[in-house]
Amino acid sequence: MQPRWLPTLRAGIGVAVILSAVGALVVAWPWRPLEVGLTSLWAGYGAFLVWASRRERSGTRLEEDAIVLTSGAQVTRLTRDDILDLRTDLPGRHAWRVQAVARDGRLITLLAVPPAELERLRRWHVDPQGWRARRP
């Protein structure tokens, strides 16, 4: 798992890249098409770093009383009462993500949770006291 400060660092690098592209355009007066094209690509790369760092904050955290989903700036809290069932998206070995079935029928994908964690999540859902037990 990456440190919490890493997406902020990457966003800062993206801002620095954008500022350096603007600075390069100021220094390169009069502009030629090649210089404008290359600096635009460089600024686009900086914008991508800023945008992607926002998405890096996405994930799922298991707490004592709730599953907390973070997707960018949106945070969703699912308590045991909100969840009807936990399951994988596909049966058997083809599964690659875990989903929560909400009481209202919605399927909520648990971000960054591998299918191997499904049994632990089911223990959390069924047994509030014994869910921390280690897997055999």
Side-chain angles (χ1 to χ4, degrees):
M1 187 170 171
Q2 72 181 2
R4 289 169 123 346
W5 52 266
L6 194 57
T8 305
L9 175 67
R10 287 193 184 123
I13 291 170
V15 169
V17 166
I18 292 170
L19 292 175
S20 71
V22 170
L25 278 178
V26 169
V27 170
W29 181 260
W31 299 326
R32 289 178 285 217
L34 179 64
E35 292 168 345
V36 171
L38 289 175
T39 351
S40 297
L41 283 174
W42 185 244
Y45 174 65
F48 171 76
L49 285 176
V50 171
W51 175 81
S53 69
R54 181 180 170 272
R55 299 302 298 169
E56 276 187 285
R57 290 173 175 46
S58 300
T60 303
R61 188 175 67 246
L62 183 61
E63 296 180 350
E64 292 287 333
D65 59 339
I67 294 176
V68 181
L69 291 136
T70 307
S71 179
Q74 180 183 0
V75 177
T76 306
R77 239 179 120 74
L78 298 171
T79 63
R80 286 182 180 88
D81 295 333
D82 297 334
I83 299 171
L84 186 61
D85 190 23
L86 293 158
R87 65 178 196 187
T88 57
D89 60 339
L90 297 171
R93 302 184 130 196
H94 300 291
W96 63 282
R97 57 187 176 178
V98 176
Q99 296 176 328
V101 180
R103 294 252 178 230
D104 60 4
R106 290 180 300 142
L107 281 177
I108 303 166
T109 300
L110 303 181
L111 305 170
V113 177
E117 291 291 319
L118 180 60
E119 289 308 314
R120 180 172 169 232
L121 288 170
R122 283 185 174 159
R123 281 196 312 268
W124 169 85
H125 186 247
V126 174
D127 184 13
Q129 305 303 323
W131 66 276
R132 288 190 182 262
R134 294 191 180 264
R135 287 180 284 199

